[in-house]
Amino acid sequence: MDPFADAWPVVEGWLIAEPAVSAKALMERLATLVPDAYASKVQLRTLQRRVKAWRAERAKEMVLGRLRTHVVMPVEV
């Protein structure tokens, strides 16, 4: 079971607003918002992995998106 399934939309919003924020800072915010679930911060490593995967996906979208817009498609006559 994913410990961040319910909180991920909030975390993703924070990442969009502040892309450079650390996973540790995000965990501290979650612990403040939902202390029953995240106060112990035992899921920090899991959150770090999710944030890393999210950033990698956004970078891939940026790079591939730019490549798609710069590729000249041949026009059939």
Side-chain angles (χ1 to χ4, degrees):
M1 185 171 146
D2 181 3
F4 299 102
D6 294 334
W8 187 250
V10 174
V11 173
E12 189 171 27
W14 291 336
L15 284 167
I16 291 167
E18 298 176 75
V21 69
S22 70
K24 185 176 180 181
L26 294 171
M27 180 58 88
E28 289 170 1
R29 291 180 193 180
L30 283 173
T32 302
L33 284 177
V34 192
D36 293 340
Y38 302 110
S40 68
K41 301 177 186 171
V42 296
Q43 301 98 343
L44 176 59
R45 185 66 188 120
T46 302
L47 182 59
Q48 289 170 331
R49 288 185 196 106
R50 294 250 346 228
V51 168
K52 182 178 180 179
W54 183 88
R55 287 183 175 141
E57 189 61 32
R58 297 300 81 73
K60 187 169 98 175
E61 287 173 3
M62 289 173 63
V63 170
L64 293 178
R66 285 188 186 141
L67 289 175
R68 286 185 195 125
T69 60
H70 292 305
V71 173
V72 178
M73 300 301 287
V75 178
E76 292 185 31
V77 183

